[in-house]
Amino acid sequence: MIQVKSCENFLLPVILSSVFLTPFVVLYISSSLFFPYITGKGLLFRFLVEISFCSWIVLAVFNKDYRPRKSFILWSVVVTFGVMTLSTIFSEDVGNSFWSNFERMEGLVTYLHLMAYFIVLVSVFKSEKLWHRFFNAQILTSILVAFYGLLQLAGVYKIMQGGGRLDATLGNAGYLGGFMLMSFFITAYMLSIKWQERSWRYIYISIMILQSFILFETATRGSILALIGGSILALLVFVIFLGKNYHNIRKISLILLGLIFLGLIIFYGARDTAFVKNQPVLSRFADISLNDGTAKSRFLIWDMSWQAVKEKPILGWGPENFPLVFDKYYDPQMYNQEPWFDRSHNVFFDWFVAGGFLGILAYLSMFVSAVWYLFRENIKRLKISSNDSAFNCWQQGTLLAFLGSYFFHNLFIFDNIISYGIFFALLAFIHVKATEDSKAGLVFSKSFDLKNKNIITITTAVAILFFFTSFYFSVAKPALAASALVGAISSASGGDINNSLLEFKKVFSYNTLGQRQSEEQLLSVASGVISATSVPENIKSEFRNLVLKEVVPELEANPRLVRERLILVDYLLKSGNLDSAIAEMEEIRLLSPKKQMIVSNLGYMYLFKDDKQKAEIITKESFDLNPKNAEAGKVYALVLIASGKESQALEVLKSLSLTLAVDDERFLNYYFSNKRYNLVSDILRQRVMLQPNNIDLWTNLALSHYAAGNNIEAFKVLDEAVVINPSFKDKVLEVRQAIQSGSIKVN
């Protein structure tokens, strides 16, 4: 027993230290890793969870006090991740569903870590004092992140996303908004606990003001609306569930509700005023409309998600496979949005697509079970206020506000490892509070013979082996791969092609998460290498061989990777292999038949092959998918011009408010190579109007007239350039003399 006690005295501090460090993961930025704001946080979270979970395994065997009690919350969490395990097994892309990628750091491997984290919390954190300390640690991290955001406002640190929306240590304004939203209601919960202590009351209120300010400065509309909605929810709980002894509080809550609604009405009435329009955050809210671009794109993506659910309704497509859905069900109305989405921008649709009906029902069950435990005694006794409840009304209000605001926030923004961690910690807290005074039994109550040293030895050995195995595969190898990938990219950017090649070989030798991103980066770098005249042929050959070894087999095994295959097409074109590029593009087109970018580029490639008839058929098909798409229209028009159908091309361009003189490099090159110098001049004239201080543009404009045999017009352009900018005088004189002597060749 002495040995067991000594073991407990060692393991418990290890577990507590690891768990108390998890809130501080949000502060970690790993500049040496690919996606520095995401990858490092995910790996550090896994490491801390693995330490605490493996320590807990040993502790739970020795002492039943450190085993979880049964609850609907516990079962809902286990079932949720059980469903996602099945979804991964039957996934469209098992490897990607399990490992995810550097940009998201999710997948089943992260879900399993979250479940382990939850189990440790519900098994070890069984005192309210411990939970309060943990929540204070979470609040402290929000203060530190908030100060980082303030330094961004002051210009000390750069806002990574640009545009003035704070992103702090999360690198994403939406992520920061969600983090501050969750931290706000955790602080509100602690305020309800410490309300009677004046100093703590003012401290927590001050912190909530700071959190609200940072949240406002993220300009994340979903998070700010969730804050308002969560506050309304908490006040409604106070109004409905507080007993008669709290008449004044209920009255104040009603007044605050009235003020919130009055403020919303006033804002709606003032939405078109100069004050609102000139304030960046308020103007974003004033622009909210079902007809704006963001709203339209969300509805389109959600419809695409629903189409995917109908195809695979039971277990879905598997985690991290939304890109397959996006490609297959792409709606041409998305043409003016970013071309690649790996999330539906709605957490519920993400779970729906990934896990089907079983996945979304399991996910929702976690919310339902948590709310049930919050109000279980009120419902059972049909009382407004129940003294027997594990939660008093203040706790019910703030915790329900947390769940409700997080739920609403997830309608528009996707999760990340930080928000997941906070959510499962709160679920664990509700579980512990709901089961501490109940007759809920242990999940596993069997006692072991602690006098048997073999049990102690075997348990400890298994836990240690499990830790090192998990750490090696889920933390160490991904970290090495992410670091090597950064080295490969930075070496290529710096011109050290040899080292870039070595680093790429390292990346693939680890054979871990992020393989797809690594393959894409290899293709991008290889495309530049093989088309560069300064790179030795033996290095080019090694890059070609690496592509053949790592990329081609992967695409043969997973042919539905549209984005990666498009990068391969660019690589093939840079290699001078037009026929192979066209063959690849034809297959890609079958995977995403409504994506105009793909169809138009295929038609343009046929134009390069001088198959004008096929080019015309394909580019017309692309344009007809959505005639509002200017890019598709321009490609179709250029093909028509090349086919000698200029009048038809003009009709297409007119429908897009364009003329034959389209300011586009493809048109410029075509007109120049076909000696249509009048149109070349028209395009260059547009450019000098936009960049009047660019002497090269003025020179090219003059030379276009010279090429057309109109020296007089060329000299007029040069004179005009000097008037615009007298410093051009020497260059203009040089060009004028060259034109007069006829020494310039432009054909």
Side-chain angles (χ1 to χ4, degrees):
M1 290 298 292
I2 294 175
Q3 186 178 8
V4 171
K5 190 65 179 176
S6 299
C7 191
E8 181 178 333
N9 289 338
F10 171 75
L11 291 174
L12 188 58
V14 171
I15 296 171
L16 294 177
S17 299
S18 301
V19 173
F20 269 93
L21 283 172
T22 54
F24 294 91
V25 168
V26 70
L27 302 174
Y28 184 47
I29 302 172
S30 49
S31 57
S32 63
L33 301 180
F34 198 54
F35 283 99
Y37 288 88
I38 304 295
T39 306
K41 290 179 176 65
L43 296 178
L44 181 56
F45 178 81
R46 292 178 187 178
F47 173 64
L48 294 172
V49 169
E50 288 164 4
I51 291 176
S52 60
F53 183 72
C54 292
S55 301
W56 168 80
I57 290 174
V58 179
L59 196 59
V61 170
F62 294 161
N63 192 335
K64 291 194 293 185
D65 291 341
Y66 296 106
R67 297 177 191 173
R69 292 188 176 276
K70 300 173 184 177
S71 78
F72 289 128
I73 296 178
L74 175 64
W75 298 132
S76 67
V77 171
V78 171
V79 168
T80 297
F81 292 126
V83 169
M84 297 315 292
T85 300
L86 289 174
S87 180
T88 298
I89 292 171
F90 297 101
S91 168
E92 290 290 307
D93 187 343
V94 177
N96 198 49
S97 290
F98 185 84
W99 287 113
S100 182
N101 55 49
F102 294 122
E103 184 178 5
R104 301 303 177 198
M105 290 298 292
E106 290 188 25
L108 184 63
V109 64
T110 293
Y111 293 158
L112 294 176
H113 279 79
L114 287 167
M115 185 170 72
Y117 181 57
F118 175 83
I119 290 172
V120 170
L121 286 172
V122 299
S123 303
V124 178
F125 278 55
K126 292 187 175 180
S127 75
E128 198 156 0
K129 181 182 289 187
L130 201 56
W131 275 107
H132 291 171
R133 290 174 180 172
F134 180 77
F135 286 151
N136 279 330
Q138 178 64 51
I139 293 167
L140 175 59
T141 62
S142 75
I143 296 172
L144 296 175
V145 172
F147 276 113
Y148 191 100
L150 292 176
L151 291 174
Q152 284 186 320
L153 282 178
V156 176
Y157 293 124
K158 182 181 178 181
I159 298 175
M160 297 308 297
Q161 281 193 313
R165 297 177 60 193
L166 295 187
D167 50 22
T169 60
L170 288 101
N172 182 295
Y175 288 172
L176 177 59
F179 173 73
M180 283 298 164
L181 173 71
M182 300 170 92
S183 299
F184 177 90
F185 285 110
I186 288 176
T187 310
Y189 175 82
M190 290 305 300
L191 174 63
S192 72
I193 298 295
K194 297 288 188 178
W195 181 262
Q196 299 301 326
E197 300 178 38
R198 179 176 294 183
S199 58
W200 279 111
R201 184 195 312 169
Y202 292 136
I203 289 172
Y204 286 129
I205 290 174
S206 300
I207 294 170
M208 290 169 70
I209 292 171
L210 175 62
Q211 292 165 337
S212 301
F213 174 75
I214 297 298
L215 173 54
F216 181 81
E217 288 297 325
T218 68
T220 307
R221 292 177 291 190
S223 300
I224 297 173
L225 289 174
L227 177 67
I228 297 170
S231 301
I232 291 172
L233 203 55
L235 292 171
L236 286 173
V237 170
F238 300 154
V239 170
I240 296 170
F241 288 95
L242 276 175
K244 296 179 180 178
N245 296 333
Y246 295 94
H247 175 74
N248 289 336
I249 301 297
R250 294 171 69 185
K251 189 175 181 179
I252 292 172
S253 298
L254 280 171
I255 293 173
L256 290 174
L257 281 170
L259 290 174
I260 290 174
F261 285 112
L262 179 62
L264 293 174
I265 292 170
I266 292 173
F267 175 78
Y268 182 79
R271 68 188 185 281
D272 294 324
T273 62
F275 173 77
V276 171
K277 292 294 185 183
N278 294 329
Q279 213 292 328
V281 180
L282 294 179
S283 64
R284 276 177 58 81
F285 278 88
D287 292 337
I288 291 178
S289 166
L290 294 179
N291 295 318
D292 72 13
T294 301
K296 283 183 176 179
S297 68
R298 294 291 191 270
F299 288 129
L300 290 171
I301 294 173
W302 297 344
D303 180 66
M304 292 154 59
S305 301
W306 176 241
Q307 299 304 317
V309 170
K310 288 192 294 183
E311 181 180 345
K312 297 181 180 295
I314 308 301
L315 286 171
W317 293 63
E320 302 300 318
N321 283 332
F322 188 80
L324 302 181
V325 170
F326 186 73
D327 292 330
K328 183 173 184 177
Y329 293 103
Y330 182 82
D331 191 316
Q333 295 180 76
M334 291 282 294
Y335 74 92
N336 57 352
Q337 300 294 318
E338 59 182 283
W340 308 108
F341 277 77
D342 66 348
R343 292 291 187 274
S344 66
H345 286 262
N346 179 302
V347 168
F348 305 101
F349 268 119
D350 283 337
W351 281 84
F352 219 158
V353 170
F357 276 94
L358 291 181
I360 187 62
L361 290 174
Y363 178 71
L364 292 174
S365 71
M366 295 190 291
F367 286 91
V368 173
S369 58
V371 174
W372 161 255
Y373 281 114
L374 284 179
F375 295 95
R376 176 178 53 176
E377 297 303 323
N378 306 82
I379 296 170
K380 282 184 176 181
R381 299 172 183 273
L382 297 177
K383 289 185 177 181
I384 296 299
S385 180
S386 174
N387 295 325
D388 298 326
S389 175
F391 305 92
N392 62 40
C393 188
W394 308 108
Q395 296 168 346
Q396 289 172 328
T398 52
L399 294 177
L400 182 65
F402 177 101
L403 292 170
S405 62
Y406 176 64
F407 189 98
F408 182 85
H409 172 268
N410 282 353
L411 291 172
F412 308 101
I413 301 171
F414 43 85
D415 265 312
N416 60 85
I417 191 60
I418 302 303
S419 59
Y420 271 135
I422 299 173
F423 174 58
F424 281 99
L426 192 87
L427 288 180
F429 172 66
I430 296 174
H431 163 94
V432 171
K433 282 280 289 178
T435 58
E436 62 182 352
D437 296 325
S438 71
K439 297 180 181 179
L442 297 174
V443 172
F444 184 74
S445 57
K446 180 181 178 180
S447 297
F448 294 95
D449 182 7
L450 300 181
K451 294 180 181 179
N452 187 340
K453 292 184 178 180
N454 288 334
I455 293 178
I456 298 174
T457 303
I458 292 172
T459 302
T460 304
V462 169
I464 292 173
L465 179 63
F466 182 79
F467 169 76
F468 281 107
T469 302
S470 179
F471 174 76
Y472 176 71
F473 285 105
S474 70
V475 179
K477 288 182 71 175
L480 291 170
S483 178
L485 184 55
V486 169
I489 297 169
S490 59
S491 294
S493 299
D496 191 348
I497 304 301
N498 286 313
N499 191 61
S500 177
L501 180 64
L502 293 174
E503 291 296 321
F504 271 121
K505 289 180 178 179
K506 279 187 190 178
V507 172
F508 294 111
S509 70
Y510 296 123
N511 191 29
T512 184
L513 73 81
Q515 289 294 102
R516 302 286 157 68
Q517 290 168 316
S518 302
E519 290 161 9
E520 290 178 4
Q521 294 299 325
L522 170 61
L523 284 171
S524 296
V525 171
S527 296
V529 168
I530 61 177
S531 60
T533 56
S534 59
V535 177
E537 190 57 41
N538 65 311
I539 298 297
K540 292 182 180 182
S541 179
E542 286 207 52
F543 267 98
R544 291 191 189 98
N545 291 336
L546 191 60
V547 169
L548 289 173
K549 178 184 177 182
E550 301 295 345
V551 179
V552 174
E554 179 65 24
L555 291 179
E556 289 176 350
N558 297 281
R560 298 175 65 180
L561 303 177
V562 168
R563 173 170 163 160
E564 189 172 336
R565 293 185 72 173
L566 282 174
I567 301 174
L568 177 62
V569 167
D570 182 62
Y571 168 81
L572 292 171
L573 289 173
K574 295 285 180 61
S575 303
N577 200 337
L578 179 60
D579 289 337
S580 295
I582 289 176
E584 184 73 16
M585 204 68 165
E586 286 282 13
E587 292 184 17
I588 296 171
R589 176 191 181 190
L590 297 176
L591 296 172
S592 190
K594 294 184 179 180
K595 203 161 195 174
Q596 290 172 284
M597 176 185 74
I598 292 172
V599 183
S600 291
N601 283 338
L602 174 60
Y604 192 59
M605 288 162 66
Y606 273 112
L607 180 62
F608 267 98
K609 195 180 178 181
D610 204 30
D611 190 342
K612 296 175 183 177
Q613 183 179 4
K614 199 157 190 177
E616 183 181 339
I617 292 171
I618 293 174
T619 53
K620 182 182 187 306
E621 175 190 327
S622 176
F623 180 63
D624 288 343
L625 285 170
N626 189 346
K628 293 181 180 179
N629 187 340
E631 174 61 20
K634 286 191 289 186
V635 175
Y636 178 40
L638 185 58
V639 169
L640 288 171
I641 292 169
S643 301
K645 300 177 180 179
E646 195 164 296
S647 60
Q648 287 180 244
L650 188 57
E651 289 301 314
V652 171
L653 293 171
K654 282 182 178 179
S655 71
L656 300 168
S657 301
L658 297 171
T659 65
L660 289 174
V662 180
D663 188 359
D664 183 291
E665 207 64 32
R666 292 166 298 187
F667 279 78
L668 186 66
N669 291 334
Y670 176 81
Y671 290 146
F672 184 82
S673 62
N674 286 274
K675 299 183 175 17
R676 300 286 298 276
Y677 297 122
N678 59 322
L679 289 170
V680 171
S681 299
D682 289 343
I683 293 172
L684 291 173
R685 171 59 68 177
Q686 295 175 54
R687 294 185 179 184
V688 297
M689 292 298 98
L690 295 174
Q691 301 178 59
N693 291 312
N694 187 326
I695 183 58
D696 291 331
L697 287 179
W698 285 104
T699 299
N700 289 336
L701 176 57
L703 292 178
S704 69
H705 289 294
Y706 166 69
N710 193 342
N711 288 5
I712 295 175
E713 192 62 35
F715 294 148
K716 285 183 179 179
V717 167
L718 293 174
D719 292 339
E720 184 182 353
V722 174
V723 172
I724 294 292
N725 191 330
S727 66
F728 292 165
K729 184 177 180 180
D730 292 341
K731 177 67 175 178
V732 164
L733 181 60
E734 178 185 335
V735 174
R736 180 186 289 272
Q737 290 174 346
I739 291 175
Q740 289 173 333
S741 65
S743 61
I744 294 181
K745 303 297 181 182
V746 294
N747 295 324

